[in-house]
Amino acid sequence: MRDLDTNIRPTDNFFHYASGGWMKRNPIPATEAMWGSFSVLRQENRKKLKAIVEEVSQDKKATMGSDAQMVRDIYSTGMDEAKRERDGVSPLLPIFEKINALKKPEDIIPITAYLHRLGFGGIFGFFIDQDERHNDKNVLYLVQSGLSLPDRDFYVNDNEESKRVRVEYRKHIMAMFKLLGKTPKECGIAIESIMRIETDLAKHSMTQVELRDIEKQYNKRTLAKLAKEAAGAEWEKYFRLVGVGKPKEIIVAQPIFMKRTAEMLREISITEWKDYFTWHVLSGSSSFLNKAFVNEHFKFYSTILAGVKKQRPLWERVVGFIDGTVGEALGKLYVERHFNHEAKKKINELVNNLFSAYEAHIKALDWMTPKTKKLALKKLHAMTRKLGYPDKWKGYKGLVIRDDSYIENYWRVHEFEWKRTIKKLKQKPDKKEWHMTPPTVNAYYNPVMNEIVFPAGIMQSPFFDASADDALNYGAIGSVIGHEITHGFDDQGRQFDSTGNFKNWWTDEDKKKFEKKAKVIENEFNNYVAIGDMKVNGALTLGENIADLGGITLAFAAFKKSQEGKERKILDGFNPEQRFFLGYAMTEREQIRPELLKKIVVTDPHSPSIFRVNGPLSNMPEFAEAWGTKEGDKLYREPKERAKIW
Ligand SMILES: [Zn+2]
C-alpha cells in the first residue's frame, strides 16, 4: 500500500490517490517517454526476450530456416554496429540512383510501387483485409499516407505545438540531408519541396476523427472507376508493379485524397518529387544506417516529439525489431519458456464470467427495445476469444535470413510478408490469424471477426496474478476483458453485426438513444484539460472511453457475482469493492512526458491515463458507494448527469 498517496483524497483524484506513491518512487527512466504498469511489464518482457535471443545465438548449428536461425541472424546483424559504420548510406545508393533517374510525371507511379515493395512509405498506401461488408472474403483498401509527422494536424494547425514541431522538422530534414552530403543550398531547396508535398497531402487527408467514420471510408470502386475519379495516376500499372495484378474491386478509403494525389503527380515538378522520395527513403531507413543518422532520427522523433532523453540500448531496439518482423518465430520460443497454462485457465473462466455479466446487463437495459436487445445478445453470444498464442503459427517457410546485413534482412522479411499479404486477396480470411505477437502486453477486439484477443504478454502481474485476491484481478484483467468486449458495442463496434459484417442491426430509436448517451461521454471528455491549452478530444477518444466505462462496470458486476456466498475480507484496510477499484487504477498508472502528451492528445484514440481512471469512475455509482463520494468532491457527479451505456 506504499503505492498510494494518502495526502490526496480518493474521491477527488483516484488516479493520484491509488498510484501517487508508486509514481514518486518510479520516475520515468531517461530512455522512456512514459512509465507505468504497461511499460514496466513490457520492459520485463524485453529482458525475457533478450535472454531467449542470446540463448539461441549460442546455437551455431541451427538449421537454415529454423526459428532459432532467423532470430539468431537478425540479432547478430542488428548488433553489428561496426558494419553499419563502414557501410554508411551505401546500401541505399542503388535506390537513390533510381530516384535520380526520374524524368517525367509518368515515372512517379513506378517509383512509388518500387519503394512500397521495399517497405518505404510514400504518397499513399494499401493493405489487404476482410471486406467490412462481406467479411467472408478479403479485399484491397487504398488509403491516405505519405506524411512524416505523426498526423496531418501538425502540418495544417496553427497552435503553438504544431508550429514548434514544423520548425524542428525543417531543422531535422536539414541535418539529415547534410549527413547525406548535400550543400546547405540543396538542403534548403529539399526542405521546401518536402514541406510543399507533405502539406498538400495533409490538407487533403482525413482527420483522426473522420478516420473513425467507417461508412464514409467504405467506397467500393472498380479499377476503371478509380481511374476516372482519381484521373492522372496509372493505377492499373501501380497494382501490377506491386504484384497485386488487376484487382476487381478496391475500397477507396479517402476518395478526395486519391483525387488530389493523382493531380499532384503532374502539378509537382520532378525535382520536388526526387527530394520527397529521397527523404522518405533516408528517413525510413535511418535505424539501419550509421550512428550519425540513428542519433539524428532519435533526436527528432523521440526527443523533440516525445521528450525521451536517452536512446534505449541497442539490444532493446533490435529485440523490438525481431518482434516486429519474425515475431511469431520469437513468440513461439517465448511461449515454450514462459507461458503460464494455469493463468490461461483462470483467465478463460474470467472471460466466461464477464460474458455472463454482460448478458445480464443487456437484458436489464432500460433504454433498448427488445428487438435490438435480441440482436445485441446474438452478437455477444457469437463473440469468440483467443487467449495466449495462435493455435496455428503462421510460419516463415521460404523466408531466407542471413548473417550478412541488417537492412538486407529487413528487406527480405518485408518482401516475404508482402507476398504473403498479396496472396490473401485470393484466399478466404484466416480465422486463426493473430494481429499481435504472443509477448505483446496488450489486447484487442477485431470487429470483422467479432473476436477478443489476449496475448500471453498481458496474462501476467499486475494484470493477472494467480496469488492475488479476486478483487484485484477483477479490477485489473477483468476490466481489460470487459473493455475489449465493450469495443464490440462502442460507437464503431456496434455498427458490426454478430457475424462481423458492417451492417446496421439497430432500430432508429435505439440508435438515437445510444448516440445521445455516447454524447454525454464525449462532452465530459471534451472538458478535460490534458496540458496547457490542449484538451482531450472527446470525439477521437469516444470508443475507448465507452470501452473503459463499460469494461469496469461489467467487471465490477462479474466480481460481485463471483463473491456471492464468500466471506467479505478486509485486506490492508480496504474492503473488496475498494480493492477492485485499486486494482483497476493500478493497471492504468502512468507518468508521461509533456512532449508525448501533446502528441497523443492529437493522435491517440485513448485518453491520457489520469482521465481513463477519474473519468469512468466519476460516472459509476458503484465507485461512489465504495468510496463514499459526495457532493463537493471532485469526482462527484449528480446521478442524473452520470454517463452510462452498458
Ligand atoms: Zn481499447
Side-chain angles (χ1 to χ4, degrees):
M1 288 302 120
R2 58 198 197 110
D3 287 352
L4 308 182
D5 181 348
T6 48
N7 294 318
I8 289 170
R9 298 171 62 230
T11 51
D12 278 341
N13 185 340
F14 196 70
F15 176 78
H16 274 287
Y17 169 78
S19 300
W22 184 90
M23 294 197 282
K24 235 172 260 163
R25 289 201 320 278
N26 294 278
I28 308 175
T31 53
E32 304 295 320
M34 54 174 162
W35 201 240
S37 290
F38 279 87
S39 17
V40 170
L41 190 49
R42 280 172 190 153
Q43 173 83 345
E44 282 168 17
N45 259 0
R46 280 197 292 272
K47 285 183 190 153
K48 284 182 191 162
L49 293 174
K50 183 189 186 210
I52 295 171
V53 166
E54 285 179 344
E55 180 196 319
V56 301
S57 292
Q58 299 306 314
D59 182 3
K60 303 293 174 217
K61 282 183 278 188
T63 5
M64 210 47 197
S66 64
D67 291 340
Q69 179 267 327
M70 289 189 287
V71 169
R72 180 193 74 192
D73 289 351
I74 296 182
Y75 192 63
S76 74
T77 53
M79 295 303 286
D80 190 355
E81 278 184 312
K83 178 177 162 51
R84 292 204 284 286
E85 289 306 317
R86 285 197 306 274
D87 286 353
V89 291
S90 63
L92 305 180
L93 295 180
I95 306 173
F96 290 147
E97 225 166 87
K98 277 197 187 345
I99 294 173
N100 285 328
L102 298 177
K103 286 197 175 59
K104 48 189 189 307
E106 289 74 25
D107 297 339
I108 306 298
I109 282 291
I111 193 84
T112 306
Y114 167 74
L115 294 177
H116 285 177
R117 277 199 86 133
L118 278 177
F120 294 112
I123 321 185
F124 54 84
F126 77 88
F127 64 89
I128 291 164
D129 200 359
Q130 281 166 276
D131 185 331
E132 285 162 332
R133 286 196 201 268
H134 307 276
N135 68 359
D136 56 339
K137 57 175 186 169
N138 289 318
V139 71
L140 196 147
Y141 292 82
L142 189 61
V143 293
Q144 68 185 37
S145 182
L147 306 180
S148 305
L149 293 177
D151 187 67
R152 66 171 295 283
D153 280 11
F154 290 104
Y155 293 90
V156 299
N157 279 9
D158 264 330
N159 61 344
E160 229 168 274
E161 178 61 3
S162 301
K163 282 191 217 157
R164 175 188 86 98
V165 167
R166 286 199 291 272
V167 169
E168 295 292 340
Y169 180 43
R170 285 171 170 267
K171 287 189 208 160
H172 170 56
I173 303 174
M174 171 75 91
M176 292 285 278
F177 272 119
K178 267 192 186 160
L179 287 174
L180 193 58
K182 302 246 183 209
T183 66
K185 196 180 161 206
E186 288 169 329
C187 293
I189 296 171
I191 293 170
E192 294 312 319
S193 310
I194 295 157
M195 286 310 277
R196 179 178 169 200
I197 295 176
E198 293 190 356
T199 307
D200 204 331
L201 294 173
K203 278 184 184 155
H204 295 88
S205 294
M206 281 189 178
T207 64
Q208 290 291 336
V209 171
E210 286 171 319
L211 289 171
R212 294 186 57 72
D213 190 331
I214 295 160
E215 178 107 52
K216 213 181 197 174
Q217 293 175 84
Y218 190 93
N219 309 293
K220 198 175 262 186
R221 303 286 187 260
T222 59
L223 206 45
K225 187 140 191 236
L226 171 65
K228 217 160 137 194
E229 281 181 1
E234 292 172 281
W235 296 106
E236 194 177 326
K237 192 182 214 173
Y238 172 78
F239 290 119
R240 180 162 44 79
L241 291 174
V242 293
V244 164
K246 217 172 159 178
K248 275 200 209 71
E249 41 189 31
I250 299 150
I251 298 189
V252 182
Q254 294 87 21
I256 294 172
F257 180 91
M258 293 308 156
K259 181 172 183 285
R260 180 62 196 145
T261 292
E263 290 165 2
M264 283 170 70
L265 300 186
R266 271 147 224 290
E267 275 177 32
I268 307 273
S269 73
I270 289 293
T271 354
E272 286 169 293
W273 281 121
K274 283 183 189 176
D275 287 334
Y276 173 81
F277 288 122
T278 304
W279 171 240
H280 278 261
V281 169
L282 191 60
S283 182
S285 45
S286 55
S287 57
F288 304 102
L289 300 177
N290 51 305
K291 262 191 187 151
F293 285 103
V294 172
N295 293 347
E296 175 55 34
H297 186 85
F298 169 80
K299 190 178 139 201
F300 180 68
Y301 283 99
S302 298
T303 306
I304 288 166
L305 289 184
V308 182
K309 308 283 180 239
K310 210 177 127 196
Q311 269 187 81
R312 283 183 179 164
L314 182 62
W315 71 261
E316 274 194 54
R317 288 177 265 150
V318 179
V319 163
F321 176 74
I322 300 173
D323 181 54
T325 47
V326 292
E328 285 201 7
L330 180 59
K332 204 165 152 190
L333 301 168
Y334 171 86
V335 161
E336 282 165 14
R337 287 158 183 79
H338 300 290
F339 192 62
N340 183 341
H341 292 273
E342 198 50 38
K344 179 173 173 174
K345 235 172 86 188
K346 292 243 170 83
I347 287 171
N348 196 40
E349 277 169 34
L350 275 168
V351 175
N352 288 339
N353 297 349
L354 259 296
F355 274 133
S356 305
Y358 231 109
E359 183 173 331
H361 269 231
I362 291 174
K363 283 179 179 160
L365 289 177
D366 59 1
W367 58 271
M368 194 183 259
T369 61
K371 200 177 159 210
T372 307
K373 266 188 193 178
K374 207 174 136 195
L375 294 170
L377 288 169
K378 191 175 171 198
K379 175 162 184 175
L380 182 73
H381 294 149
M383 198 179 283
T384 54
R385 71 189 81 170
K386 287 177 180 161
L387 303 178
Y389 55 91
D391 288 342
K392 187 189 89 189
W393 297 96
K394 61 182 185 176
Y396 299 93
K397 197 165 176 262
L399 170 61
V400 179
I401 293 294
R402 296 186 197 282
D403 61 1
D404 54 356
S405 153
Y406 196 31
I407 195 165
E408 293 282 348
N409 277 335
Y410 167 63
W411 285 331
R412 287 165 189 145
V413 177
H414 190 270
E415 177 71 12
F416 180 83
E417 290 297 340
W418 187 263
K419 286 184 180 149
R420 180 177 356 235
T421 301
I422 282 168
K423 255 191 239 154
K424 283 186 180 173
L425 215 43
K426 293 201 172 82
Q427 293 165 339
K428 287 261 162 216
D430 179 3
K431 289 202 162 126
K432 295 194 164 155
E433 189 181 8
W434 281 57
H435 298 294
M436 280 180 187
T437 63
T440 307
V441 183
N442 210 337
Y444 67 93
Y445 170 74
N446 182 3
V448 277
M449 286 284 185
N450 191 23
E451 65 176 3
I452 47 175
V453 185
F454 302 90
I458 203 165
M459 300 182 167
Q460 308 178 72
S461 173
F463 295 91
F464 176 76
D465 182 350
S467 64
D469 83 304
D470 281 357
L472 287 178
N473 280 328
Y474 271 93
I477 194 80
S479 297
V480 176
I481 296 167
H483 173 102
E484 299 307 338
I485 299 175
T486 310
H487 270 316
F489 301 94
D490 71 13
D491 60 323
Q492 275 187 334
R494 68 157 195 89
Q495 302 181 67
F496 291 80
D497 70 8
S498 63
T499 66
N501 276 317
F502 182 69
K503 196 174 165 196
N504 182 43
W505 48 274
W506 293 62
T507 64
D508 280 349
E509 184 192 345
D510 288 317
K511 182 174 168 261
K512 277 197 195 101
K513 282 190 187 151
F514 177 92
E515 281 166 354
K516 207 173 147 204
K517 287 175 174 294
K519 201 77 193 167
V520 177
I521 299 183
E522 190 179 323
N523 292 340
E524 274 181 21
F525 279 80
N526 274 336
N527 281 322
Y528 288 131
V529 177
I531 180 167
D533 60 353
M534 299 178 90
K535 284 185 172 181
V536 175
N537 183 337
L540 170 61
T541 56
L542 182 59
E544 294 298 334
N545 297 332
I546 292 174
D548 280 339
L549 177 57
I552 314 162
T553 304
L554 273 300
F556 188 86
F559 168 60
K560 291 296 279 181
K561 182 125 182 45
S562 77
Q563 298 302 295
E564 279 170 10
K566 285 191 188 158
E567 188 200 343
R568 278 175 60 79
K569 273 188 258 170
I570 303 289
L571 293 175
D572 300 316
F574 296 108
N575 67 34
E577 292 77 18
Q578 290 173 327
R579 292 202 304 280
F580 170 92
F581 289 107
L582 287 170
Y584 173 68
M586 180 175 70
T587 62
E588 281 299 330
R589 68 171 50 133
E590 190 163 272
Q591 311 196 70
I592 183 163
R593 296 193 188 276
E595 292 88 345
L596 181 64
L597 185 52
K598 284 178 190 163
K599 188 168 81 178
I600 66 164
V601 171
V602 178
T603 57
D604 196 337
H606 301 85
S607 302
S609 297
I610 178 168
F611 307 120
R612 294 190 67 177
V613 174
N614 290 344
L617 300 192
S618 70
N619 284 304
M620 288 177 67
E622 299 89 339
F623 176 80
E625 195 185 318
W627 291 91
T629 319
K630 48 186 186 321
E631 242 182 300
D633 293 342
K634 294 210 172 78
L635 293 185
Y636 179 80
R637 283 185 205 277
E638 290 274 345
K640 64 173 187 336
E641 282 171 6
R642 288 176 188 151
K644 180 176 167 63
I645 303 183
W646 300 105

